[in-house]
Amino acid sequence: MKNIGFLSFGHWTPSPHSQTRSASEALLQSIDLAVAAEELGVDGAYFRVHHFARQLASPFPLLAAVGARTSRIEIGTGVIDMRYENPLYMAEDAGAADLIAGGRLQLGISRGSPEQVIDGFRYFGYVPEEGSDHAAMAREHTRVFLEVIKGQGFAAPSPRPMFPNPPGLLRIEPYSEGLRDRIWWGAGSRSTAEWTAEQGMNLMSSTLLTEDTGVPFHQLQAEQIQRFRVAWKAAGHEREPRVSVSRSIFPVVSDADRAYFGHEAGSQDQVGFLEGGAARFGKTYAGEPDKLVAALADDEAIAAADTLLLTVPNQLGVDYNVHVLDAVLRHLAPDLGWR
């Protein structure tokens, strides 16, 4: 059995070929897709966060809206760039969104990815300390965020407050119990996955790894997951962790599917360079259902993960993306034992 969710980057462009032509449409269609996905029986609605781009950016208003319109589906991010975040303000936003959703928030965070602008986090007012760098700054923001969402008091109350305070030090409000266990780190390497386990965060792994050992992507990712689980056990955490992987999967069951994704039937892993180092990109799975079932059954990382996030082409519109999700649930999931 797998938790199956979708991951939307929320692209929008004014092109006449796009079904998502404005920021408003990107947001409203994201809500509609989450509602429709819940009705289908999909388990999660996840959204990517990119700044300075025609994509989804500030996640918490969207997550709160999805939480208010749905009742069962998990809602989350994949991922929030922690270089840009004020961790205390983020804790307030996350607590509020989680309470609105009734404890369904699954928040993916990370160091971030290549940006639209140079050092965009500086425009948000965040500069690495002397002797540090942007990655260390993201991890420090994360450390503070993880600490304050535990719900423990840390701030000295005013002797003359506007409203009466409870006794003792004050915590960030609103506090949502259990949120700390539902934080995921988007890890791009095996060593980062081990660090994720040490911090007690769930592992979120995408279709990109910022390293390459020459083995197929799914095998390298499976090794990453294994190292995460070993490190988790060594850290002595009491709960069982969760692991998600992302995939682009398109069963070809209609003429529209064939027109959009038929050319991806021979897709292979790609190896390139990212931020000065080798990187491996996972292939797209597209084709007739019987062929996809056979191919996906051999994917070692999907087998090792409890959650599968399906990347969706949001600019093709809500109806088409509902069709893609339905095709996966109907034509692939039962034969693969995911349902």
Side-chain angles (χ1 to χ4, degrees), residues 89-338:
Y89 195 10
M90 181 178 171
E92 291 180 340
D93 280 347
D98 195 39
L99 290 170
I100 290 170
R104 290 181 283 130
L105 191 63
Q106 303 286 339
L107 204 61
I109 63 177
S110 190
R111 184 210 70 172
S113 59
E115 301 178 274
Q116 296 296 108
V117 300
I118 298 171
D119 291 346
F121 46 85
R122 293 177 182 268
Y123 294 97
F124 279 56
Y126 301 112
V127 180
E129 295 182 359
E130 186 175 352
S132 182
D133 62 14
H134 64 106
M137 181 177 69
R139 293 192 181 198
E140 175 60 16
H141 288 181
T142 299
R143 183 193 67 78
V144 175
F145 173 70
L146 294 177
E147 186 64 29
V148 299
I149 63 172
K150 292 179 181 177
Q152 299 170 352
F154 62 90
S158 168
R160 292 180 296 277
M162 180 177 294
F163 306 105
N165 281 321
L169 299 176
L170 303 182
R171 67 186 183 187
I172 286 290
E173 299 287 0
Y175 165 68
S176 186
E177 186 173 359
L179 178 59
R180 174 61 179 84
D181 291 341
R182 289 179 273 114
I183 307 300
W184 307 59
W185 185 265
S189 68
R190 293 166 295 175
S191 61
T192 306
E194 292 171 332
W195 176 85
T196 302
E198 292 165 0
Q199 309 311 307
M201 290 184 283
N202 300 311
L203 175 64
M204 185 173 280
S205 190
S206 72
T207 53
L208 164 67
L209 291 172
T210 56
E211 58 186 346
D212 180 44
T213 63
V215 303
F217 175 85
H218 71 96
Q219 292 181 352
L220 181 59
Q221 192 174 49
E223 181 187 345
Q224 181 197 41
I225 294 170
Q226 175 62 19
R227 289 195 180 193
F228 168 79
R229 294 193 186 282
V230 170
W232 184 278
K233 184 175 181 180
H237 302 303
E238 294 182 0
R239 68 178 179 88
E240 285 296 314
R242 289 184 62 182
V243 174
S244 75
V245 296
S246 302
R247 291 292 184 273
S248 298
I249 302 174
F250 301 103
V252 175
V253 297
S254 71
D255 290 341
D257 299 331
R258 192 166 292 104
Y260 286 135
F261 299 107
H263 65 283
E264 296 281 6
S267 176
Q268 299 293 325
D269 291 354
Q270 298 181 41
V271 177
F273 287 88
L274 185 66
E275 297 184 340
R280 182 169 282 267
F281 302 80
K283 65 183 181 181
T284 294
Y285 288 94
E288 305 296 330
D290 57 339
K291 295 179 180 178
L292 284 188
V293 167
L296 290 165
D298 291 333
D299 191 309
E300 296 177 17
I302 292 179
D306 61 81
T307 299
L308 172 63
L309 300 183
L310 304 170
T311 58
V312 294
N314 76 281
Q315 289 189 91
L316 294 181
V318 173
D319 289 345
Y320 183 75
N321 282 287
V322 171
H323 160 76
V324 170
L325 296 173
D326 180 63
V328 171
L329 293 180
R330 185 188 305 269
H331 298 289
L332 304 181
D335 289 342
L336 286 162
W338 298 348

